[in-house]
């Protein structure tokens, strides 16, 4: 009679027979929510729609946090500029880590996630540029000299 190969369960114990996805058969009713959540999240990350939504949400969040961090420059002077620079590199690290993790974990949807991340950032950045491209309505400067 031929024996089946040994497989390790999640608890680390060896058992003879086919691999059991939920660990030891005697503990079948004692499933925790955490492994199921990670399995569900793992299945979602491969979905292109989820990848596009997650990438664009992260891109928008990075751009909005960029805008918020550069507001620190004006009231604090050089300390605010240093803090804004540190936060800039932190945001770049977050984006690089997200891209690396997505590539390692969900390679089939990596291109969709990367394109959505870039698109979310660029669309939000373009909206900010359009918003700030309008002429200033102050009483000093060029507009004030034209009114006289």
């Amino acid at each position: 009679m031929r024996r089946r190969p040994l497989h390790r369960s999640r608890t680390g114990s060896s058992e003879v027979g086919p691999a059991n996805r939920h660990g030891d058969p005697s503990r079948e009713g004692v499933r925790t929510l955490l492994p199921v959540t990670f399995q569900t999240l793992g299945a979602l990350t491969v979905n292109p729609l989820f990848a596009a939504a997650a990438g664009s949400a992260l891109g928008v969040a990075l751009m909005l946090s960029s805008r918020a961090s550069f507001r620190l420059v004006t009231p604090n002077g050089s300390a605010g500029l240093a803090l804004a620079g540190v936060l800039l590199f932190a945001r770049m690290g977050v984006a690089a880590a997200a891209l690396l993790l997505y590539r390692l974990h969900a390679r089939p949807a990596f291109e969709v996630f990367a394109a959505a991340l870039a698109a979310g950032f660029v669309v939000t950045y373009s909206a900010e540029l359009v918003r700030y491209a309008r002429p200033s309505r102050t009483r000093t400067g060029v507009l004030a000299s034209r009114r006289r």
Side-chain angles (χ1 to χ4, degrees), residues 1-142:
M1 185 169 146
R2 198 169 161 192
R3 290 185 71 179
R4 292 182 229 164
L6 292 175
H7 295 282
R8 289 211 174 264
S9 67
R10 288 187 188 169
T11 59
S13 65
S14 298
E15 57 187 42
V16 177
N20 188 353
R21 290 184 58 169
H22 304 296
D24 192 8
S26 64
R27 298 185 54 173
E28 191 66 35
V30 188
R31 276 174 66 187
T32 62
L33 183 62
L34 194 60
V36 174
T37 304
F38 282 138
Q39 288 173 357
T40 306
L41 186 61
L44 272 178
T45 56
V46 181
N47 185 348
L49 292 176
F50 180 82
S56 60
L58 182 61
V60 169
L62 288 173
M63 183 58 206
L64 293 178
S65 68
S66 174
R67 181 176 174 214
S69 72
F70 280 104
R71 286 183 183 164
L72 300 172
V73 174
T74 305
N76 297 337
S78 61
L81 184 61
L83 183 60
V86 167
L87 292 175
L88 173 74
F89 283 106
R91 283 188 307 278
M92 286 193 305
V94 166
L99 287 170
L100 178 68
L101 287 174
Y102 220 94
R103 181 174 178 170
L104 293 176
H105 181 66
R107 188 175 287 258
F110 171 70
E111 292 86 12
V112 176
F113 177 78
L117 177 67
F121 186 83
V122 168
V123 165
T124 311
Y125 187 70
S126 299
E128 289 292 315
L129 285 177
V130 168
R131 180 178 172 193
Y132 289 116
R134 289 182 277 168
S136 177
R137 300 282 181 190
T138 62
R139 294 279 179 188
T140 60
V142 176

